[in-house]
Amino acid sequence: MMDLKVEDILLSKNLTKVINDDFCIFEADNFLPLDFYLALEKSFPDLLEIQQETEKVDAYNRQSLRFNISNLNKISNDFFIKNPEWSLFISLLADKKFVYDALDLFDKKISEHKGVKYSFRKRKYIKYVKKKYNLLNKLVNKLFNNISINFMFSAAGPSEGLYPHTDSTNKLITLLLYFPEKNWRKEYHGETSFYKLKNNVSQNKIKKWGLLGKKNTHITDPKSVLEFRENYTELYKSKYMPNMLAGFVKNNKSWHAIDPLVFPKNKLRRALLINIFK
């Protein structure tokens, strides 16, 4: 296994596409060195491992294994012991250098949504976190250190998907690293679709969707889905390709979805989700 360093995966050094519209969307082609990515792909947890820790995270009942870097469960611990490449990768993603590089890169977009209070807290934390531990450090840490990160292995089967939503209110940035199975065909889909309001939408509709987006409402019933399609147009569709990192900055307009998947029963749409929270 190669010696991967946090400097190798900083978003500021690896992004190949950035779209700034209703919200910020970005991609990084060939995000990881190929040999390291292939090692991760080879040891991506199988569906049985994931099913042992299943959480119903959306209306399509996607299978997932969710864990927090500070509170790994026994199954996760066993997995990381057996697969040191994943242990290294997760530790680098959780490194403050990676997290704050991402926050600095998208500081303006996050601050537009979260306001000056967010920027003040983040900068205060960065200022004091490097100082020698003392009572003041402890107090400032308690007041301002409210940035966290968690991870989720996702393996979705045929006909599963994700209804339109904007993501949880305390989220800052969402990252998705794709792991298509071998011989994955374009017609299987798997892309993440991002949406923006059409130009002719009325002010009443804009207010309605803004409120729904603020609450992270999942648009699930057929009538609401139809209305969503009438009011929104596709802004971008991320490429579901090996070693592709896609992501976006959360705000009340960050509508995205995964269309129902179309592929054989022996296939899975696989991804690692990385979530940075406040």
Side-chain angles (χ1 to χ4, degrees), residues 211-271:
L211 181 60
L212 293 174
K214 185 176 182 180
K215 294 180 178 179
N216 187 31
T217 305
H218 287 234
I219 310 303
T220 58
D221 68 272
K223 183 178 178 180
S224 296
V225 170
L226 179 61
E227 184 180 3
F228 181 86
R229 302 294 182 186
E230 290 173 346
N231 286 264
Y232 278 83
T233 185
E234 189 176 279
L235 171 60
Y236 187 69
K237 189 185 289 288
S238 69
K239 298 181 286 292
Y240 185 69
M241 297 170 54
N243 207 7
M244 169 65 74
L245 181 83
F248 62 94
V249 179
K250 152 73 184 178
N251 68 18
N252 297 342
K253 300 178 181 179
S254 53
W255 292 98
H256 59 286
I258 301 171
D259 291 333
L261 302 166
V262 183
F263 48 71
K265 291 183 178 180
N266 63 338
K267 292 288 185 183
L268 292 168
R269 178 194 184 271
R270 304 184 306 179

Side-chain angles (χ1 to χ4, degrees), residues 2 14 22 35 96 118 128 133 139 155 170 212 238 253:
M2 68 172 294
N14 286 284
D22 278 2
D35 55 349
K96 287 185 175 64
Y118 156 77
Y128 284 100
Y133 188 83
L139 176 61
N170 61 337
L212 293 174
S238 69
K253 300 178 181 179

Side-chain angles (χ1 to χ4, degrees), residues 145-252:
N145 180 14
N146 57 351
I147 304 296
S148 61
I149 185 167
N150 73 12
F151 311 86
M152 183 174 70
F153 288 111
S154 172
S159 300
E160 295 179 9
L162 188 64
Y163 286 114
H165 68 294
T166 58
D167 270 9
S168 59
T169 56
N170 61 337
K171 190 177 290 188
L172 301 176
I173 300 172
T174 295
L175 304 168
L176 308 100
L177 182 58
Y178 297 135
F179 289 88
E181 294 188 323
K182 288 180 174 59
N183 302 316
W184 188 270
R185 298 180 182 178
K186 188 176 181 180
E187 58 264 31
Y188 293 166
H189 301 299
E191 309 93 341
T192 305
S193 297
F194 301 97
Y195 299 93
K196 63 174 290 184
L197 276 167
K198 294 179 179 178
N199 294 330
N200 60 349
V201 177
S202 68
Q203 285 299 316
N204 286 338
K205 292 288 187 181
I206 292 173
K207 290 180 181 178
K208 173 184 176 178
W209 291 114
L211 181 60
L212 293 174
K214 185 176 182 180
K215 294 180 178 179
N216 187 31
T217 305
H218 287 234
I219 310 303
T220 58
D221 68 272
K223 183 178 178 180
S224 296
V225 170
L226 179 61
E227 184 180 3
F228 181 86
R229 302 294 182 186
E230 290 173 346
N231 286 264
Y232 278 83
T233 185
E234 189 176 279
L235 171 60
Y236 187 69
K237 189 185 289 288
S238 69
K239 298 181 286 292
Y240 185 69
M241 297 170 54
N243 207 7
M244 169 65 74
L245 181 83
F248 62 94
V249 179
K250 152 73 184 178
N251 68 18
N252 297 342

Side-chain angles (χ1 to χ4, degrees), residues 26-226:
F26 53 88
E27 286 182 336
D29 294 307
N30 300 312
F31 177 60
L32 294 171
L34 181 57
D35 55 349
F36 193 86
Y37 173 81
L38 291 175
L40 295 178
E41 193 276 334
K42 185 178 180 180
S43 55
F44 194 95
D46 62 32
L47 184 58
L48 289 178
E49 286 181 275
I50 292 176
Q51 283 177 329
Q52 292 181 69
E53 291 283 323
T54 296
E55 292 185 30
K56 294 183 177 181
V57 295
D58 56 58
Y60 286 133
N61 298 335
R62 184 174 45 173
Q63 305 291 348
S64 65
L65 172 58
R66 188 192 297 268
F67 58 94
N68 189 296
I69 195 67
S70 62
N71 186 28
L72 298 179
N73 57 49
K74 185 178 185 301
I75 293 175
S76 297
N77 273 322
D78 291 344
F79 171 78
F80 290 124
I81 291 171
K82 294 176 184 176
N83 301 284
E85 64 277 5
W86 276 105
S87 179
L88 172 59
F89 184 45
I90 295 300
S91 69
L92 295 179
L93 291 171
D95 191 295
K96 287 185 175 64
K97 287 183 181 179
F98 178 85
V99 174
Y100 284 101
D101 175 76
L103 295 178
D104 286 339
L105 184 62
F106 298 111
D107 182 68
K108 183 178 179 180
K109 289 298 179 182
I110 298 172
S111 297
E112 286 174 359
H113 174 56
K114 291 293 185 181
V116 295
K117 187 177 180 180
Y118 156 77
S119 292
F120 176 72
R121 286 185 172 183
K122 179 171 74 70
R123 291 192 175 92
K124 280 288 186 181
Y125 175 65
I126 293 172
K127 179 180 178 181
Y128 284 100
V129 74
K130 296 179 181 178
K131 290 192 173 184
K132 185 177 179 181
Y133 188 83
N134 54 35
L135 185 61
L136 177 61
N137 192 337
K138 184 177 181 181
L139 176 61
V140 172
N141 213 32
K142 184 175 181 180
L143 290 173
F144 301 116
N145 180 14
N146 57 351
I147 304 296
S148 61
I149 185 167
N150 73 12
F151 311 86
M152 183 174 70
F153 288 111
S154 172
S159 300
E160 295 179 9
L162 188 64
Y163 286 114
H165 68 294
T166 58
D167 270 9
S168 59
T169 56
N170 61 337
K171 190 177 290 188
L172 301 176
I173 300 172
T174 295
L175 304 168
L176 308 100
L177 182 58
Y178 297 135
F179 289 88
E181 294 188 323
K182 288 180 174 59
N183 302 316
W184 188 270
R185 298 180 182 178
K186 188 176 181 180
E187 58 264 31
Y188 293 166
H189 301 299
E191 309 93 341
T192 305
S193 297
F194 301 97
Y195 299 93
K196 63 174 290 184
L197 276 167
K198 294 179 179 178
N199 294 330
N200 60 349
V201 177
S202 68
Q203 285 299 316
N204 286 338
K205 292 288 187 181
I206 292 173
K207 290 180 181 178
K208 173 184 176 178
W209 291 114
L211 181 60
L212 293 174
K214 185 176 182 180
K215 294 180 178 179
N216 187 31
T217 305
H218 287 234
I219 310 303
T220 58
D221 68 272
K223 183 178 178 180
S224 296
V225 170
L226 179 61

Side-chain angles (χ1 to χ4, degrees), residues 5-24:
K5 296 180 175 63
V6 66
E7 288 77 14
D8 298 325
I9 64 170
L10 297 180
L11 294 185
S12 61
K13 296 182 178 180
N14 286 284
L15 294 191
T16 54
K17 189 179 190 71
V18 178
I19 299 171
N20 287 308
D21 206 298
D22 278 2
F23 60 107
C24 181

